[in-house]
Amino acid sequence: HRKLPELIHMIVLPYVEDCKLRCESDVREFSRQLFQAVALLHSERVLHADLKRTNLRWNGRELRVIDFDCARQLASADGADDG
C-alpha cells in the first residue's frame, strides 16, 4: 500500500521516540495491530479520514482506534448502497 511509509513516519515513529514502544517486539505488535485495524475498516468500506497519533490509544498490549467523527462509509465497488 502506498500510504504505509506515511503511516509509519506519522504514527509509529513518534510512539518509538516517546518511549511508548520500548522494544522491537512492541513496535512489531503496535504496527501489526495498526495495519490490521486499517485493513478491517477498509474491508467494511469505512474510511477513518483522520488517522493520526492522537486518535490511537496504546496500553502496551492493545491498540484502539478512536474518534470516528470524520469517518465515511465508502460506496461498494458495484455502486450499491447497503442502506
Side-chain angles (χ1 to χ4, degrees):
H1 194 279
R2 66 178 193 252
K3 295 281 187 176
L4 281 178
E6 186 177 332
L7 275 176
I8 292 168
H9 180 74
M10 289 176 40
I11 296 173
V12 178
L13 290 180
Y15 268 87
V16 172
E17 291 168 358
D18 288 348
C19 298
K20 292 183 179 166
L21 301 174
R22 294 190 174 106
C23 61
E24 186 178 329
S25 64
D26 286 347
V27 173
R28 276 195 310 268
E29 184 60 20
F30 179 91
S31 299
R32 183 190 69 76
Q33 289 186 36
L34 175 61
F35 301 146
Q36 187 176 39
V38 170
L40 175 64
L41 289 171
H42 290 180
S43 75
E44 297 293 327
R45 297 185 345 260
V46 173
L47 178 65
H48 187 279
D50 195 24
L51 194 59
K52 60 187 177 188
R53 188 171 170 225
T54 55
N55 289 337
L56 300 172
R57 296 293 179 260
W58 173 252
N59 67 11
R61 292 184 328 261
E62 185 176 71
L63 178 69
R64 292 185 184 259
V65 179
I66 63 169
D67 191 1
F68 284 81
D69 291 342
C70 295
R72 295 186 308 234
Q73 182 76 43
L74 302 174
S76 64
D78 62 8
D81 187 2
D82 291 340

